[in-house]
Structures are given as structure tokens and as C-alpha cells.
């Protein structure tokens, strides 16, 4: 088991190291490149980031709904919308980590919750 853990961390460090970085971007926004290693490592990193920061969708949606409509809408509709977006971003992040070896474009726009904070996430 100790060897598997060590192998996992070595693979992870390799995928996000500067050796895996190419010059152009695939669409995730990290700039790891268009090759297989670059695309899969971008998917892995965005999956981890979206899994870890999915909860930020809750205050984001409350703020957006409050600014767009009113405080009452922000605290009711924004809260429900935020919970749904939190679950969606977290689940998609977990799915991206689980399937990072299959290179696909991002499933969420914006790719990270902190990118373009004034725009509601779309899937």
C-alpha cells in the first residue's frame, strides 16, 4: 500500500510539473498544452479545484441574485440556486478527477468558480 501511495504522488507531481507544460492552451485556461499529457493534467487539476471550491457557488449565487433582483430573491431563490450549483460543480469536479485520463473539454463555464465571478455557471 505504501508503494501505491508513493507511486500516486510521483505520478501527480509529474503531471503538474513543468516537464508536462507545453506552450499553448487547450481551453481550460492553465496553459498546459494541447497534447495528451497537457490535456489530461489540466482536467485533473481543474477537477481537484472544482471539487475543493464548489462550495463557493453558494455565496456567489446569493450575491448574483441579490444584485440582479432583490435581497428577498437572493436569500430564497439565490440560496436554492447556490445549493444546486454547489452540488453540480463538486460532482463534476469529482467526475473530472475520476476520468482525467480521458481528455475532454471543460464541462463547466467558467472553468473555475473564481473566473468571471459575475457570471452564473453553466453546464
Amino acid at each position: 500500500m505504501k508503494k501505491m501511495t508513493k507511486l500516486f504522488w510521483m505520478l501527480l507531481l509529474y503531471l503538474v510539473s513543468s516537464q508536462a507544460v507545453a506552450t499553448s492552451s487547450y481551453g481550460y485556461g492553465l496553459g498546459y498544452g494541447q497534447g495528451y499529457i497537457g490535456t489530461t493534467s489540466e482536467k485533473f487539476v481543474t477537477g481537484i479545484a472544482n471539487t475543493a471550491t464548489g462550495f463557493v457557488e453558494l455565496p456567489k449565487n446569493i450575491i448574483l441574485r441579490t444584485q440582479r433582483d432583490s435581497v428577498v430573491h437572493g436569500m430564497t431563490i439565490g440560496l436554492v440556486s447556490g445549493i444546486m450549483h454547489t452540488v453540480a460543480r463538486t460532482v463534476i469536479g469529482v467526475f473530472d478527477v475520476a476520468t482525467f485520463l480521458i481528455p475532454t473539454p471543460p464541462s463547466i463555464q467558467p472553468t473555475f468558480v473564481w473566473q468571471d465571478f459575475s457570471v452564473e455557471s453553466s453546464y
Side-chain angles (χ1 to χ4, degrees):
M1 187 66 175
K2 193 172 184 179
K3 282 186 178 183
M4 290 299 290
T5 305
K6 190 181 237 184
L7 180 64
F8 170 76
W9 285 112
M10 288 176 57
L11 179 64
L12 177 66
L13 287 174
Y14 174 73
L15 288 176
V16 295
S17 72
S18 61
Q19 296 162 348
V21 177
T23 57
S24 61
S25 174
Y26 175 76
Y28 284 90
L30 298 178
Y32 286 169
Q34 292 182 347
Y36 178 76
I37 297 293
T39 305
T40 56
S41 60
E42 285 183 42
K43 185 174 179 181
F44 185 74
V45 170
T46 57
I48 289 176
N50 284 327
T51 301
T53 61
F55 69 93
V56 179
E57 285 284 352
L58 184 62
K60 175 184 173 181
N61 281 281
I62 292 173
I63 291 167
L64 289 175
R65 186 62 68 160
T66 301
Q67 289 175 344
R68 188 173 35 196
D69 298 329
S70 68
V71 174
V72 175
H73 281 109
M75 291 303 181
T76 55
I77 298 170
L79 178 67
V80 172
S81 175
I83 291 170
M84 291 187 317
H85 284 290
T86 297
V87 170
R89 185 172 289 272
T90 305
V91 167
I92 289 173
V94 169
F95 184 75
D96 282 349
V97 169
T99 62
F100 79 96
L101 292 174
I102 304 167
T104 58
S107 303
I108 306 173
Q109 294 301 327
T111 306
F112 300 105
V113 70
W114 60 83
Q115 286 179 331
D116 210 0
F117 202 76
S118 62
V119 174
E120 191 171 334
S121 299
S122 61
Y123 309 96

